[in-house]
Each structure stands twice: as C-alpha cells, then as structure tokens.
Amino acid sequence: MPFDLNLNLILGQMVLGLVNGVFYAILSLGLAIIFGLLGVINFAHGVFFMLGAFLAYMLGATLGIGYWGSLLIAPVLVGLIGIVVEVLLIRRLYKIDHLYGLLLTLGLALAIEGLIRIVFGQQGVPYPIPPSLRGAVDIGFMLLPLYRVWVVVAGIVLCLATWFVIERTPLGAKLRAATDNPAMVQAFGINVPVMLTLTYAAGVALAGVGGVMAAPVMTIDPAMGTNIVIVVFAVVVIGGMGSIFGSIVTGLGLGLLEGLAKATFPSASSTVIFVAMVIILVLRPRGLFGKMA
Amino acid sequence: MLEIRNLHAWYGESHVLHGVDMEVPEGRVVSLLGRNGAGKTTTMRALMGLMGRTKGEIRFGGADLLRLRPDQIARKGIALCPEDRAIFPSLSVTENLFLPPVVAKGGMSVERIYELFPNIRERGSSRGTQLSGGEQQMLAIARILRTGARVLLLDEPTEGLAPVIVQQIARTIAEIKALGFTIILVEQNAHFVEGLADIHYLIENGVIVDRLEGSEFAAKIDRVDRLLAV
C-alpha cells in the first residue's frame, strides 16, 4: 500500500523532514554565497560538511572537547581549511569558465573523502547527543527528540542571521556589490581578493557548523557529505543559483516535501526533490527566487 | 602632483594608449578631451589600476600607481566616478553612498552631501538603479566625495543627461573645485569644461596631441570642437 494518509504520521514525518531541511538550507546557503561572489560551483561543499562532523568527533576523541566546544572550534578549523583551499587552488580559476571550478572542487571532494576513508575506514563513527539535549518534547502528535528541536531552532536562527548579515549590514552590502561588479568595488579601496578568501571560508564554515549539528543524528562516515550535497545542489537549482533567501526557503521547503513523501509515498521520498527540480527547471529555469540572467 | 609618463595600455592584443603624458597639479581641475575611442576612459582605468596590461609610469604620492592594485590606489586618495556610473543594482541608494570606505580624513560630511544632492536623501531606500540618469550621476559623484579622496577622476559625468542636469553637475563640480579637490574631468563636450578646468589636454588615437591653459581655451575652442567632431 503506497499511500497512508494517517495525519499524525504525516505531521511527524514532516517535522523530521524539517530537520533535514535545516541541513539543506545551511548547506545551500553556503553554496549560494560562494557561487554568488566567487562564481565557483563548490562541489567540495559536502566534504566540508563531513569534515565538520569528523572534526567534532576527533576533538572529542583526542582532546575530550564536547559538543558545544566542537560547535565553535570545528567550523573555525573548517574555515581555515577553506582559506588554504581558496588561496592555493580556487583563486587560480576565477578568470576562466565556471566549469573548471566545479571540476576542481569535485576532484578535491573525492580526494578529501578518500583521505578520510583511509584514516577512519569505510564504517561510520558514532557521536553522542550532548547530555543537555537528551530527551523529548511532546508536540501533540509525536514525541520529538529535544536534539532535533535544537537543530531546527538553531539552524533557522543561523540561516536568518546569515541572511541578515548579507542583506542588512554594511559588510553584506560590500559582498552584494562585489557580486555585481568586483572590479569597481576594488577600485573603491576594498581588498576584494581577501574578501573572496574570507567569503569562501565563511561559506564552508557554515557547512562545518551543519556537520557538527548533524553528527549526533546522522552516521558520521566519509560519504555523508557526498550523499547530502547532491540533494543540496537540487535545492540551490530550485531556489535559484546565488539566491540567499531562495536557498533558505527552498531548503526548508524541500525538507518538508521529503518528509511528506516519506509519510505518503515512501518509495518516492528519495526522488521527490529531483522531480521537483526537473519541474522547476522546465517551468522556471532561473529557479524560484533566481534573477534573470 | 600626479604625473603620467609615457603611458601605454592594451585591451588584449589591441594597443590603445601609445605613450600618454599628463601633469595634474594639486588642487587644479584638468580636463581630458577627445572623441569616442580616443583613449580617455582607458587613461582613467589605467590610473585606477583597472587595465590588465600597461607600461610607463604614473607617479603620485611617491609611488608608481602602475605597480599597485586598485584598492591600494584608492587608499592613496584617488577615486573614480566611472563613465557607466557603476551604481550597484542590488544595493539601495544609501548603501551605494556608504559603500566606499573612508580612505582619509577630510571627506565631505553626509549632511553636506545631502544638502548638495537632496534627492539622494529622499530616495535613500530605493534601489540605486531606480534613480534617473541624472540622479545616478549625482550619487556616483556623492559616493566618492565621502571617502576623503583628494583626487577625483570624473569620466564623462554629463553623458546622456538633460541640459538642466548638466548645468547642475557643472555647479557641483565648481563647488568641489572650490573646496580644493584635484579633478581630472574626462569629456567630449568642450563647452562644458570651458569654465571649469584650469588645464586642458586633448587626446587622439591614444596620444596627447595638445595642452591648453584655461586662459587660452576660449580662443582655441573652434579647433577643439573640430578635434572632437565625429
């Protein structure tokens, strides 16, 4: 029986879908920021998500640093790795076709994933839910684990804070201006190369935050980034390449859609996002929130 | 003093400037007049470090600007108001105004800017590109007055504007001149620069073909007009 219209099941799956949606939103937000300013389709984004999770695990296993400490430290370390990657590799590609950036970051993703696989093996490693977030809350139609409530709330706050910085602050104005006309922004006295480096670092650090938040609810394994980044690219395409607002709304919306599919037509749940992507691309090639080329 | 010596510039394989020489004394307005394609905008872009391939020397403040990045040149107190105005479409008018960082003390206060260009205050929350051409030009000039830059490069500020707006821009430039700014004013309209500039350079095919003092410009304006005629 493919369809099951139990309302509680539907609502429950949609709430769980929202948790996935938060990860989609955080990751697609970083991708959108990087693509918007650097013009790089960062296929390595999923790997930085995976590195966030593995760094949280390593910080705990080697230094005894818990979840909250890792939530601060791991994204900073991911951002530093991002700086090295941008300075040594990505900046060489700014003046050539975007396709080369995609190829480079795809190769980089495969190399880093392979390295992690050599060190940690194919199997995943466990990461505990922090003690302060164990338990569940009764939301009427289901008992929702407290940690997932935290992920949803913190993830949405993080997305909105990022949106606020980009759309409502002088720093964000510089980023948006550099997206429009980087040469002129540099001619105004702003060091655009440094801005590009820091933007890439911030974008991948966001993925790192997502990775740490995902560690207690997903299996930490070398392929976790690759698995999620495929969906996240669909989110970015549906939302509109480079659209910050589109990334957030689409990420959360597609998480809900996936949850709905799990409750009503489980066998379609892994493909529903891609079906949505095809429909959007046919009807509105620039995405739901993308600007006309 | 800003000195340009034997400046060459290329767009790809195309050699556009063939040894431009200019001197821009501090506190003076210098016009650069020439037809479309003569090399005026390229000279401005080279001054700001925006040309890929250049040769020669541009001395300012003890440095050769050709060796600096655009942001380093801007930090030396040189600001460009480009021909296309470069109003950022994703920014509001106010965001456009405050985008360039302050590079030195002595920039025009925001209150004074709003007195000079009241429309900028009134339309502060609009997108920059929703302004009329004249308003965009005002915004582009206002934007660099805030920064404290003392050398302003104004690239065809009257292009495509109605005569009444052109007069307003002329008054604004005269006021800026009175404040002691050094200005390079790129134009195709000799009559616009006649009363404004102290020194006039005429450029043709990427080389300076004449230099006129402000005092002799009126007597030779027919010759200048012939040079600028298409």
Side-chain angles (χ1 to χ4, degrees):
Chain A
M1 178 75 181
F3 291 99
D4 180 349
L5 297 179
N6 179 320
L7 187 62
N8 282 356
L9 177 68
I10 291 172
L11 290 173
Q13 284 296 347
M14 287 180 75
V15 170
L16 295 178
L18 191 60
V19 175
N20 281 342
V22 163
F23 293 126
Y24 299 156
I26 291 173
L27 285 170
S28 59
L29 188 56
L31 270 180
I33 293 169
I34 289 170
F35 179 75
L37 187 59
L38 283 69
V40 169
I41 302 166
N42 187 34
F43 225 91
H45 214 66
V47 157
F48 288 107
F49 173 77
M50 178 266 286
L51 281 178
F54 266 101
L55 283 167
Y57 168 77
M58 285 189 276
L59 286 167
T62 59
L63 300 173
I65 295 172
Y67 175 83
W68 299 108
S70 293
L71 195 57
L72 291 174
I73 297 168
V76 172
L77 295 175
V78 171
L80 290 173
I81 296 168
I83 288 175
V84 172
V85 167
E86 196 279 339
V87 169
L88 293 182
L89 300 172
I90 290 176
R91 74 167 45 170
R92 296 167 192 272
L93 306 179
Y94 289 145
K95 289 182 180 168
I96 56 177
D97 194 294
H98 292 177
L99 180 63
Y100 292 94
L102 187 147
L103 291 172
L104 172 78
T105 53
L106 174 62
L108 188 68
L110 294 172
I112 295 175
E113 190 180 313
L115 193 66
I116 294 292
R117 191 169 279 123
I118 290 167
V119 176
F120 292 95
Q122 190 73 30
Q123 298 302 313
V125 293
Y127 194 85
I129 291 174
S132 54
L133 293 175
R134 286 176 191 156
V137 285
D138 189 349
I139 55 172
F141 51 89
M142 71 180 292
L143 276 177
L144 185 62
L146 192 56
Y147 185 78
R148 289 173 194 264
V149 176
W150 152 253
V151 167
V152 170
V153 173
I156 290 175
V157 168
L158 180 64
C159 288
L160 293 179
T162 307
W163 174 85
F164 182 83
V165 168
I166 291 170
E167 297 293 337
R168 293 285 183 270
T169 67
L171 173 65
K174 289 185 176 69
L175 290 172
R176 282 179 284 133
T179 303
D180 292 337
N181 187 347
M184 200 59 218
V185 168
Q186 188 159 12
F188 281 147
I190 296 166
N191 192 332
V192 171
V194 167
M195 186 194 270
L196 295 179
T197 304
L198 295 179
T199 299
Y200 189 78
V204 300
L206 263 179
V209 173
V212 179
M213 286 169 67
V217 289
M218 290 183 184
T219 307
I220 305 179
D221 68 61
M224 69 185 284
T226 311
N227 294 340
I228 199 169
V229 84
I230 301 294
V231 178
V232 170
F233 270 106
V235 172
V236 171
V237 170
I238 293 170
M241 292 294 280
S243 167
I244 304 300
F245 184 70
S247 295
I248 299 171
V249 172
T250 311
L252 297 174
L254 290 182
L256 288 171
L257 180 67
E258 201 178 43
L260 182 67
K262 272 183 187 157
T264 57
F265 195 7
S267 53
S269 64
S270 59
T271 53
V272 66
I273 287 178
F274 301 103
V275 172
M277 183 180 83
V278 169
I279 293 169
I280 294 294
L281 278 177
V282 169
L283 297 179
R284 197 177 160 88
R286 65 180 186 271
L288 293 174
F289 301 91
K291 293 172 190 161
M292 288 294 280
Chain B
M1 172 81 92
L2 189 151
E3 290 177 85
I4 302 174
R5 293 274 168 257
N6 194 29
L7 177 64
H8 292 253
W10 289 260
Y11 284 109
E13 293 300 311
S14 179
H15 192 174
V16 182
L17 298 185
H18 299 269
V20 169
D21 290 288
M22 285 176 70
E23 288 184 356
V24 183
E26 193 176 336
R28 309 290 288 278
V29 176
V30 172
S31 80
L32 180 60
L33 293 158
R35 288 194 198 109
N36 268 341
K40 307 182 298 295
T41 293
T42 305
T43 306
M44 295 300 100
R45 288 177 57 81
L47 269 163
M48 282 314 301
L50 294 171
M51 292 298 295
R53 186 177 160 205
T54 52
K55 196 178 83 176
E57 193 177 24
I58 302 176
R59 303 296 307 178
F60 179 72
D64 180 1
L65 300 186
L66 290 186
R67 296 175 183 277
L68 301 181
R69 293 193 314 263
D71 54 302
Q72 294 171 320
I73 294 170
R75 298 270 169 189
K76 286 202 158 286
I78 300 176
L80 171 66
C81 176
E83 186 181 14
D84 65 0
R85 295 158 196 151
I87 301 301
F88 297 95
S90 62
L91 271 59
S92 70
V93 169
T94 304
E95 285 175 328
N96 266 285
L97 178 63
F98 284 92
L99 180 76
V102 172
V103 296
K105 288 179 182 170
M108 195 175 279
S109 73
V110 175
E111 278 309 311
R112 184 74 191 107
I113 285 171
Y114 284 150
E115 279 173 26
L116 272 175
F117 311 109
N119 285 11
I120 293 177
R121 188 206 294 264
E122 288 162 16
R123 305 204 55 190
S125 58
S126 305
R127 292 278 143 193
T129 43
Q130 289 173 339
L131 299 180
S132 68
E135 287 171 329
Q136 286 192 26
Q137 189 61 62
M138 301 290 183
L139 175 57
I141 295 173
R143 191 167 56 178
I144 58 175
L145 292 176
R146 243 193 77 251
T147 63
R150 298 301 296 173
V151 178
L152 309 183
L153 314 180
L154 307 182
D155 193 353
E156 300 209 34
T158 64
E159 191 189 17
L161 300 181
V164 64
I165 305 293
V166 171
Q167 287 174 8
Q168 195 177 346
I169 287 174
R171 283 196 298 273
T172 304
I173 293 173
E175 187 161 342
I176 298 167
K177 177 186 176 184
L179 294 171
F181 284 90
T182 305
I183 299 171
I184 302 181
L185 184 54
V186 165
E187 265 300 337
Q188 291 192 56
N189 180 350
H191 298 274
F192 177 76
V193 300
E194 187 179 351
L196 283 173
D198 305 301
I199 301 165
H200 304 269
Y201 283 94
L202 309 184
I203 186 169
E204 192 170 36
N205 296 325
V207 289
I208 299 294
V209 293
D210 208 349
R211 177 190 184 280
L212 302 170
E213 288 294 329
S215 55
E216 59 182 334
F217 192 72
K220 295 187 175 177
I221 199 157
D222 287 345
R223 175 174 130 59
V224 175
D225 277 339
R226 277 197 301 279
L227 178 86
L228 297 179
V230 177

